[in-house]
Amino acid sequence: TRDERWVCIWTRDTLRASALSLVGEPERSAAVLLEPPESAPIIVFGTVLPWRGDKRDSVLRGGAAFASSLDAQETDVSRLRAERPDARFWLLGDLNQEVEKDGPVGTAIGRRSLRHFLDRQHLTALTGNGGDPLRLRGWRDSIDHIVVDAASASRAATPSVWPGTFPLPGAPWPDHHGVEVSLAAV
């Protein structure tokens, strides 16, 4: 329902952060403007995109649902970036889509939609394109991604994954590995 919230962005109390308004899919996304001292502002956009078997949309399924959701969220991404051209841009979340190849979660349509989105927005998936921390360990491709603008990508360390086992051990573990990357001040 439209009253649901799937994404929450937490920050340190010492970091100035302001919630940003979203209209595309506010139940599946969230955004904040971070204003770190002595650094460029950062728009952080969190999302959970539809997966192959997602039945929340009464009409669209699979890749079509993914593409529709991504298009709706891109309207917010484009607007936020236009409103704050001085800000770095980070998109983080459960994209439910492999970047480099089809896997058990994503679809060919979803992969094409994601690649076109990344190209249009001039963004890099740090967790794809050879930097996928799961794939680098010989496991399946990531569906949880860290996506950043060019200035941030040039200051990023190699992403890492936690825990260091595959598959995950089961309850009480979640169904996803944690993915993180360190970014130098921009």
Side-chain angles (χ1 to χ4, degrees), residues 86-141:
D86 60 321
R88 300 291 101 226
F89 184 81
W90 301 350
L91 183 145
L92 314 165
D94 184 354
L95 276 57
N96 282 306
Q97 177 62 57
E98 300 85 356
V99 172
E100 296 179 35
K101 65 179 183 178
D102 281 341
V105 179
T107 65
I109 292 170
R111 187 177 71 247
R112 281 192 304 274
S113 295
L114 181 56
R115 285 183 182 220
H116 291 304
F117 165 79
L118 295 173
D119 290 345
R120 282 189 306 272
Q121 293 293 329
H122 307 286
L123 299 171
T124 299
L126 298 176
T127 46
N129 308 313
D132 184 333
L134 288 164
R135 189 177 208 192
L136 290 172
R137 290 178 173 228
W139 305 340
R140 66 178 188 164
D141 284 25

Side-chain angles (χ1 to χ4, degrees), residues 23-160:
V23 296
E25 284 194 327
E27 69 280 4
R28 285 187 180 265
S29 56
V32 297
L33 177 67
L34 302 179
E35 297 181 80
E38 302 177 29
S39 181
I42 304 161
I43 296 169
V44 177
F45 191 98
T47 185
V48 177
L49 290 167
W51 53 97
R52 184 184 301 193
D54 191 345
K55 297 178 181 171
R56 299 181 85 59
D57 188 302
S58 62
V59 177
L60 300 175
R61 298 282 190 273
F66 180 92
S68 176
S69 183
L70 186 58
D71 285 348
Q73 291 186 32
E74 188 172 9
T75 60
D76 284 322
V77 169
S78 294
R79 178 183 50 82
L80 294 173
R81 295 185 79 191
E83 288 173 356
R84 289 302 303 255
D86 60 321
R88 300 291 101 226
F89 184 81
W90 301 350
L91 183 145
L92 314 165
D94 184 354
L95 276 57
N96 282 306
Q97 177 62 57
E98 300 85 356
V99 172
E100 296 179 35
K101 65 179 183 178
D102 281 341
V105 179
T107 65
I109 292 170
R111 187 177 71 247
R112 281 192 304 274
S113 295
L114 181 56
R115 285 183 182 220
H116 291 304
F117 165 79
L118 295 173
D119 290 345
R120 282 189 306 272
Q121 293 293 329
H122 307 286
L123 299 171
T124 299
L126 298 176
T127 46
N129 308 313
D132 184 333
L134 288 164
R135 189 177 208 192
L136 290 172
R137 290 178 173 228
W139 305 340
R140 66 178 188 164
D141 284 25
S142 291
I143 60 170
D144 299 317
H145 295 288
I146 300 169
V147 175
V148 298
D149 60 31
S152 298
S154 68
R155 294 170 172 86
T158 303
S160 63

